[in-house]
Amino acid sequence: MAHKAGFVNIVGNPNVGKSTIMNSLVGEKLSIITQKMQTTRHRIKGIVSGEDFQIVYSDTPGILKPSYKLQESMMRFVDTALIDADVILFVTDVKEKVDKNPDYIEKVRKSNMPVIVLINKIDLSNQEEVLKLFDYWGNVFPGADIFPISALEKFNIEPIFDRILELLPEGPAFFPKDELTDRNERFFMQEIVREKILLHYQKEIPYSVEVEVEEFKEEEKIINIRTVIHVERDSQKGIIIGHQGKMIKRVGTEARKDAEEFFEKKIFLELYVKVAKDWREKDGALKQFGYDKF
Ligand SMILES: Nc1nc2c(ncn2[C@@H]2O[C@H](COP(=O)(O)OP(=O)(O)OP(=O)(O)O)[C@@H](O)[C@H]2O)c(=O)[nH]1
Ligand SMILES: [Mg+2]
């Protein structure tokens, strides 16, 4: 068989399970997952290679109407995902309103790319409801493959892979076969810390935070990592640290444990908080944090 390779871009509304699906297709926890909207802020590639194929998945932020500059950058990642795809995985779930974001659906339809619709979270629904959604999406994307799945329970994931392989064009690999992602170690450390912040802080706090690894020094038996948590305002600094430093300690402990599992090495993690005033609205800060690379 000739070698096949291509880009499979995962798009959809916030919180429908895009990142859970990518991790499950790649078999590694590359993307962070939480119950909160806008967990994913970047485009993150996950690469799966075999002897005669290479699939380059991209996880993307959920689609939204931008209300500040950070979100504008996030939506640029989503838009470019429609340009360079060989296959689009359009993710929806059994909970979201089907007519949310009609403009984006129109863009996907007009892209003329092969679309696979994934109706996720069927573990929360019943057969009748799922069949209704199946009909609905069949009308929206005529000719598209539609798979009801549960990414959480890893139900019906295998057939997606088989179908992608059929749709991929013939061609050589884009990345070395042993490469798993386009992101570096610092990025994953930042994301691990950000996941803990999304989990433990409420309201606007997780959205006002950016995490930056200042130093990542790998030694034989340990990795020393210094990480800054940037907040938008002075008042948020105290909230992140918490009474007697309890909150930030918890973030640090949990992030360190996850990182030790991810990097398979002992970690010394140092966290501190800095104010980067209104960084979500500033081009310079957004560039510093990597939101200018599409
Ligand atoms: N019950 C159920 N929950 C799921 C399933 N897949 C994902 N979830 C949950 O849905 C929430 C959102 O999952 P994510 O994978 O972060 O969703 P996302 O689409 O990447 O979200 P954003 O990055 O914020 O756009 C998490 O709490 C997941 O555990 C599923 O099949 N069933
Ligand atoms: Mg996500």
Side-chain angles (χ1 to χ4, degrees), residues 12-26:
N13 288 328
N15 210 43
V16 292
K18 298 177 294 302
S19 298
T20 312
I21 290 168
M22 166 144 117
N23 290 348
S24 159
L25 285 164
V26 176

Side-chain angles (χ1 to χ4, degrees), residues 14-20 38-40 62 120-121 123 150-152:
N15 210 43
V16 292
K18 298 177 294 302
S19 298
T20 312
Q38 299 175 51
T39 294
T40 307
N120 191 27
K121 308 193 187 180
D123 54 289
S150 167
L152 200 64

Side-chain angles (χ1 to χ4, degrees), residues 67-78:
S67 44
Y68 41 86
K69 275 192 180 165
L70 166 66
Q71 291 180 328
E72 284 171 20
S73 299
M74 286 161 60
M75 287 311 99
R76 253 174 278 154
F77 296 128
V78 182

